[in-house]
Amino acid sequence: MLKITKITIAFLLIAALGGCGKKAKTPEAGNPVPSETPQESVQPTITPEATPASDNKDGEGDIMMEVPDLTSLDSITLIVNKQRPLGEDYEPADLVKPDVPLAKSSVTLRQEAADAMKVMFDAATEDGISLMIGSGYRSYDYQKNLYKNYVARDGEEEANRYSAKPGQSEHQTGLAADLSGTNSSCYLKGCFKDTDEGVWLKENAWKYGFILRYPEGKEEITGYIFEPWHYRYFGKEEAQKIYESGLTVEEYYNLQDSGLRSR
């Protein structure tokens, strides 16, 4: 009995010593087992409104960035287009008359956009450029009549290329304006891009928070022909990002295809 006891004890000691190695951890409740795929090979999932499409001009991959509020009616980054319309009763609560040259006294913009427009116009004046606002905020009903007249004149298919249906116009946000020189040279015409005013705006408007909304050669993406006179306020920080990306608003915020949905 003594031998057996000693042998048994010896075996128990050996077993105990052999178990001193590192024990494999089991996942705790609610914690999944880590993937064996190397972390650097796992690509982040990009959803239409999770990140901008890219801010990398070399196309080397998407960069995770915080996306501003694109849907709230009071947001200055509200996106309105053919797939994201406004209701017929929507009118901004803070419309004011900009303190700049106006083609008509009824022109209004949202307060922040109007203030930024004043700063931009003053800067343009210092550079010898005289600007004027031809059109600002438009109500749903105003746009409805405007669109109806264009359809009667040019037909629906052609009108859809340059005029928004009611509810689909950026002008209803109070954040967009059609601009020209004070001499109205080439107002609402493609030749505005070659005027001194058009060139100055293209090169400088982003510094004051405004983006050329419908660039040349992007009709299939934006839904509208090139409008060198149509500028939209996004705020200085956001406008700089969009401008430097070289992308349209729809491309920058990854709102193409399935991302273009009515809200």
Side-chain angles (χ1 to χ4, degrees), residues 116-133:
M117 194 71 77
K118 167 66 173 172
V119 175
M120 182 170 74
F121 273 43
D122 288 347
T125 299
E126 291 181 3
D127 289 341
I129 301 296
S130 299
L131 297 173
M132 179 173 66
I133 300 180

Side-chain angles (χ1 to χ4, degrees), residues 140-181:
Y140 182 98
D141 288 338
Y142 184 98
Q143 189 67 32
K144 182 178 181 179
N145 290 329
L146 191 64
Y147 176 76
K148 180 180 178 180
N149 291 336
Y150 286 140
V151 169
R153 186 187 71 183
D154 297 326
E156 185 174 0
E157 183 177 353
E158 185 62 22
N160 286 338
R161 298 183 61 212
Y162 64 82
S163 178
K165 293 180 180 180
Q168 298 177 6
S169 173
E170 276 202 327
H171 285 279
Q172 194 179 347
T173 67
L175 296 168
D178 294 335
L179 305 178
S180 75

Side-chain angles (χ1 to χ4, degrees), residues 198-216:
V199 171
W200 189 93
L201 285 167
K202 184 177 181 181
E203 294 177 351
N204 296 282
W206 63 273
K207 301 174 184 177
Y208 307 95
F210 294 91
I211 288 296
L212 176 62
R213 184 63 175 88
Y214 307 119
E216 193 167 11

Side-chain angles (χ1 to χ4, degrees), residues 5-235:
T5 302
K6 287 183 177 180
I7 292 172
T8 301
I9 292 173
F11 275 112
L12 290 173
L13 289 172
I14 291 171
L17 291 172
C20 289
K22 201 169 192 178
K23 187 177 180 181
K25 292 184 179 179
T26 57
E28 297 178 4
N31 294 330
V33 178
S35 170
E36 294 181 1
T37 306
Q39 188 173 0
E40 59 269 23
S41 68
V42 179
Q43 299 300 319
T45 300
I46 307 295
T47 57
E49 293 187 11
T51 65
S54 172
D55 72 344
N56 189 330
K57 292 184 180 180
D58 298 325
E60 295 181 355
D62 295 318
I63 296 177
M64 300 297 288
M65 295 174 61
E66 181 180 354
V67 176
D69 185 351
L70 308 179
T71 59
S72 296
L73 295 179
D74 59 350
S75 171
I76 62 169
T77 51
L78 169 67
I79 303 298
V80 173
N81 56 27
K82 292 182 177 182
Q83 290 74 26
R84 302 164 71 99
L86 292 168
E88 59 182 301
D89 296 327
Y90 174 70
E91 178 180 325
D94 58 344
L95 292 173
V96 298
K97 182 184 295 187
D99 184 20
V100 300
L102 306 173
K104 48 189 177 182
S105 61
S106 59
V107 171
T108 58
L109 291 173
R110 284 188 57 182
Q111 182 73 64
E112 185 173 339
D115 292 343
M117 194 71 77
K118 167 66 173 172
V119 175
M120 182 170 74
F121 273 43
D122 288 347
T125 299
E126 291 181 3
D127 289 341
I129 301 296
S130 299
L131 297 173
M132 179 173 66
I133 300 180
S135 180
Y137 165 75
R138 295 180 196 156
S139 69
Y140 182 98
D141 288 338
Y142 184 98
Q143 189 67 32
K144 182 178 181 179
N145 290 329
L146 191 64
Y147 176 76
K148 180 180 178 180
N149 291 336
Y150 286 140
V151 169
R153 186 187 71 183
D154 297 326
E156 185 174 0
E157 183 177 353
E158 185 62 22
N160 286 338
R161 298 183 61 212
Y162 64 82
S163 178
K165 293 180 180 180
Q168 298 177 6
S169 173
E170 276 202 327
H171 285 279
Q172 194 179 347
T173 67
L175 296 168
D178 294 335
L179 305 178
S180 75
T182 52
N183 59 5
S184 298
S185 176
C186 289
Y187 179 54
L188 300 183
K189 297 179 181 179
C191 60
F192 181 67
K193 74 171 185 177
D194 297 319
T195 64
D196 291 341
E197 295 84 1
V199 171
W200 189 93
L201 285 167
K202 184 177 181 181
E203 294 177 351
N204 296 282
W206 63 273
K207 301 174 184 177
Y208 307 95
F210 294 91
I211 288 296
L212 176 62
R213 184 63 175 88
Y214 307 119
E216 193 167 11
K218 298 291 187 176
E219 182 176 351
E220 291 186 4
I221 297 173
T222 65
Y224 298 102
I225 62 172
F226 174 42
E227 295 190 355
W229 59 85
H230 183 107
Y231 280 81
R232 160 65 198 274
Y233 183 71
F234 277 92

